[in-house]
Amino acid sequence: MLVASQHALKHFFYPICPISKLKQGPVEFTLLNQSIVLWLDKNNQPAAAENRCCHRWAKLTNGKVIDGAIQCPYHGWTFASTGECIKIPQHPERTIPANYCLKMFKCQQQYDYAWVALEDPIMPIPKVPEFASDEYRVIHLENRTWQCSALTALENIFDTSHHHFVHQHLGDKLNPTPIAPELIENTSYGMFFKSDMHNYGNNLQYKAWNINDSEMILKRDFHWYMPFLVKMILYLPNNLKNVTLLSFTPITDSSLQWINLIMRNDSEEDIKASDVIQLGMTISYEDQEILETVPSDVPLDIHEQCHMESDRPSILIRNRFSALLSDLEENEQRTVQQKN
C-alpha cells in the first residue's frame, strides 16, 4: 500500500506542527502529498489551508499573518481563517466574490500540536489523559523526517523481534527470541495489546529511568489509533510510568514526520529531560537507519511476504487497513511494477 496515494487516509487527523512554531509565522507542510499552510488566527487557534492563493497560486507560506489573517506575498490578497478573502488591496472599494477563497482543512489544537484532516474525519483525535494530568510532565522530542513508509514505521513499533539486532540500548542482546504478546484485541479505534520484553540495562537507560538493574522485564501496553498513531505505556520496576505518544505523520508514500511526546510521573529533579531525550533519540535513530532501507510499498496481502509468530500485530494491522479500504470502496494503491 502506498499510504499517501490512498484517499481513505485523508479521513483522519494527523499531528503536523507544534503550536509554538506557528507563533513565528505561517508554516508549510506536505500531508499525504498535499501541500498545506498553517497559521494562528486572531484567537491563537491553528488554521490550515491549501498552500496556494486563489489568485495566481503563489505559496502562502511566503506571506505574513496580520491580525489572524494570512496575506499572500504576491499581491497582498488577505484571507481569514475561514478561507474567505477579506482584502484585495488593488480594489478596496469592490465587493469580493464569495468564490475568492482558500480551500480549508479541518484543523484542531491538541497536545501542543496543530492536527489536520484533509477530509471529514471518521475518528476523533484520541484522548490522552496523562497529557493534562498534574501527575505527569511532558517532554517533547525533536521532530524528524524519515525516508520510509508510515506503515513500515508503524509496524516496527509493534515488532518485538528486531530489538536484538537493531538496538544497542534496548532489549535482550543475548537472546533473539521475544516474549509472545499476552493479549491482542481489536478496538473501535485500532488495536490494543500487552507485550512484555526482556531487557538488559545500560548507561543510557540508567540515566533515563533511574534503574540500575542489569536485567529486567519491561511491561508494556500498546494502543494503536488508526492510521499511524501509537500510545505506548511502559511500566518500570521502580513505579515509573513512561507514556509515549508517537505519530508517523505521512508526508509522501516514502516519507513521514516522526513526532514523539513522552509523559512521565516523575520530575526534572528526579531525572533530567535531556537524559530521557537522549535515550529516545538514540533508539529512534537506530530504527530510522534500518527502516529507510525497506521499500515503501507495503503489501496488505499477507501472502506477498513471509511471516513469523511475532508478526501477528502487523498482520492484524494490514487486515484492518484492507477492511478500511473495502468499507470506503477504494482499491489498494500499489507501484506500477507490482501491478504488472
Side-chain angles (χ1 to χ4, degrees):
M1 179 176 73
L2 299 171
V3 297
S5 301
Q6 299 290 170
H7 190 272
L9 298 183
K10 294 183 179 182
H11 291 277
F12 295 89
F13 276 109
Y14 301 91
I16 302 296
C17 176
I19 296 297
S20 59
K21 188 175 181 179
L22 292 179
K23 293 178 180 179
Q24 303 169 22
V27 169
E28 179 179 9
F29 190 83
T30 299
L31 175 62
L32 295 165
N33 289 330
Q34 172 67 61
S35 177
I36 62 177
V37 57
L38 300 99
W39 74 95
L40 292 180
D41 66 15
K42 61 183 179 182
N43 297 316
N44 287 319
Q45 293 300 307
E50 185 177 21
N51 190 19
R52 65 180 190 180
C53 178
C54 62
H55 176 220
R56 287 296 180 265
W57 294 357
K59 276 192 174 183
L60 294 166
T61 39
N62 295 326
K64 300 177 181 178
V65 177
I66 303 173
D67 295 329
I70 190 164
Q71 182 187 73
C72 177
Y74 194 5
H75 295 92
W77 288 29
T78 305
F79 301 88
S81 59
T82 58
E84 173 191 7
C85 182
I86 57 175
K87 183 178 181 180
I88 299 178
Q90 294 79 12
H91 302 288
E93 74 288 349
R94 294 184 184 177
T95 300
I96 302 175
N99 65 332
Y100 284 27
C101 61
L102 303 179
K103 180 179 180 181
M104 302 299 296
F105 302 115
K106 296 279 193 308
C107 188
Q108 294 182 16
Q109 178 176 338
Q110 192 65 267
Y111 312 129
D112 294 335
Y113 272 77
W115 296 61
V116 176
L118 298 179
E119 301 285 354
D120 290 336
I122 58 178
M123 290 186 183
I125 299 172
K127 295 184 181 302
V128 182
E130 293 90 351
F131 183 87
S133 171
D134 293 336
E135 297 179 4
Y136 291 82
R137 58 170 166 155
V138 179
I139 301 173
H140 291 264
L141 275 64
E142 174 192 356
N143 297 340
R144 296 201 323 280
T145 299
W146 292 13
Q147 301 302 323
C148 71
S149 166
L151 181 51
T152 298
L154 174 72
E155 290 188 349
N156 178 73
I157 287 296
F158 303 135
D159 181 352
T160 59
S161 297
H162 76 282
H163 302 93
H164 176 83
F165 300 95
V166 175
H167 296 302
Q168 297 301 311
H169 296 90
L170 181 67
D172 184 352
K173 299 304 298 178
L174 303 180
N175 183 2
T177 304
I179 301 173
E182 298 177 13
L183 171 72
I184 300 180
E185 54 185 41
N186 284 315
T187 64
S188 60
Y189 54 80
M191 184 172 63
F192 169 79
F193 69 100
K194 293 179 175 291
S195 177
D196 297 346
M197 181 173 64
H198 286 297
N199 182 77
Y200 282 83
N202 54 73
N203 288 334
L204 291 187
Q205 289 183 5
Y206 297 157
K207 291 192 291 184
W209 297 343
N210 196 23
I211 296 177
N212 292 320
D213 297 355
S214 59
E215 181 179 356
M216 69 187 98
I217 299 293
L218 299 180
K219 310 288 289 185
R220 303 180 303 171
D221 289 352
F222 286 95
H223 296 266
W224 167 47
Y225 300 98
M226 294 184 71
F228 304 118
L229 186 71
V230 177
K231 177 183 176 182
M232 181 185 74
I233 306 174
L234 174 63
Y235 302 93
L236 291 160
N238 58 359
N239 295 320
L240 175 61
K241 189 175 176 183
N242 191 100
V243 182
T244 300
L245 187 65
L246 183 61
S247 176
F248 304 106
T249 300
I251 299 173
T252 66
D253 292 326
S254 58
S255 63
L256 62 90
Q257 180 171 230
W258 181 83
I259 296 174
N260 191 316
L261 311 182
I262 295 177
M263 291 143 279
R264 296 162 56 109
N265 61 340
D266 65 355
S267 67
E268 182 71 16
E269 289 72 26
D270 298 322
I271 299 172
K272 294 180 180 179
S274 58
D275 290 333
V276 178
I277 292 171
Q278 183 180 12
L279 176 61
M281 296 301 292
T282 299
I283 293 170
S284 74
Y285 278 121
E286 292 170 337
D287 281 328
Q288 181 182 0
E289 182 177 4
I290 189 69
L291 296 181
E292 289 185 340
T293 70
V294 178
S296 297
D297 189 358
V298 181
L300 298 185
D301 182 351
I302 63 173
H303 300 291
E304 287 193 33
Q305 293 179 320
C306 301
H307 306 279
M308 56 184 171
E309 183 179 352
S310 58
D311 294 321
R312 187 183 172 201
S314 294
I315 291 172
L316 294 176
I317 286 171
R318 296 186 192 190
N319 290 342
R320 193 66 177 266
F321 276 118
S322 293
L324 172 68
L325 297 184
S326 177
D327 290 344
L328 296 182
E329 300 181 343
E330 182 177 342
N331 294 325
E332 179 185 0
Q333 300 300 303
R334 304 298 306 279
T335 60
V336 174
Q337 290 82 357
Q338 287 171 314
K339 284 182 180 178
N340 293 336

